[in-house]
Amino acid sequence: QVRLVESGGGLVQPGGSLRLSCAPAGNIFSIDALYWYRQAPGKERDLVAGISSRGITNYADSVKGRFTISIDNAKNTGYLQMNSLKPEDTAVYYCKLGDAYGHEYWGQGTQVTVSS
């Protein structure tokens, strides 16, 4: 199995910021595409943001203007910058990386809790 190293979650107050990161363990492949999903308790796993190999981004309406997805090619690491966090953003966040051959790999998830 290919393992992804996902980190950056934690507890933050409403209005705060977090940056999630995701990278292939051991740098065993180059990131071609990045997707971030989240799953709140009792809810389905939903796509939050994605960036394609052509650099095209898309965001869920609920996070537009607040979240930014990016790939640092030099570091071979994907990010999700989350600003102006709201309690409804509370969820486990999962990254999914795609390599140049179309293979996709899931991260283990990281908990984001937004609470005062």
Side-chain angles (χ1 to χ4, degrees), residues 41-63:
K43 303 294 184 180
E44 295 185 354
R45 186 175 300 185
D46 293 325
L47 180 65
V48 175
I51 182 168
S52 73
S53 60
R54 293 173 291 185
I56 305 300
T57 59
N58 67 283
Y59 297 92
D61 287 342
S62 59
V63 307

Side-chain angles (χ1 to χ4, degrees), residues 32-46:
D32 192 65
L34 166 67
Y35 308 90
W36 288 97
Y37 295 77
R38 68 185 181 188
Q39 187 168 22
K43 303 294 184 180
E44 295 185 354
R45 186 175 300 185
D46 293 325

Side-chain angles (χ1 to χ4, degrees), residues 2-94:
V2 173
R3 187 172 71 89
L4 307 185
V5 180
E6 184 179 343
S7 63
L11 175 64
V12 66
Q13 293 185 337
S17 298
L18 287 172
R19 188 178 72 165
L20 307 183
S21 64
C22 183
N27 234 7
I28 62 174
F29 68 87
S30 295
I31 299 173
D32 192 65
L34 166 67
Y35 308 90
W36 288 97
Y37 295 77
R38 68 185 181 188
Q39 187 168 22
K43 303 294 184 180
E44 295 185 354
R45 186 175 300 185
D46 293 325
L47 180 65
V48 175
I51 182 168
S52 73
S53 60
R54 293 173 291 185
I56 305 300
T57 59
N58 67 283
Y59 297 92
D61 287 342
S62 59
V63 307
K64 285 181 179 177
R66 300 188 297 120
F67 290 11
T68 302
I69 187 170
S70 64
I71 299 171
D72 186 329
N73 292 119
K75 297 181 179 179
N76 199 38
T77 301
Y79 300 97
L80 183 67
Q81 178 67 47
M82 305 184 293
N83 299 326
S84 302
L85 283 162
K86 305 174 181 180
E88 51 262 44
D89 295 318
T90 295
V92 177
Y93 284 71
Y94 298 89

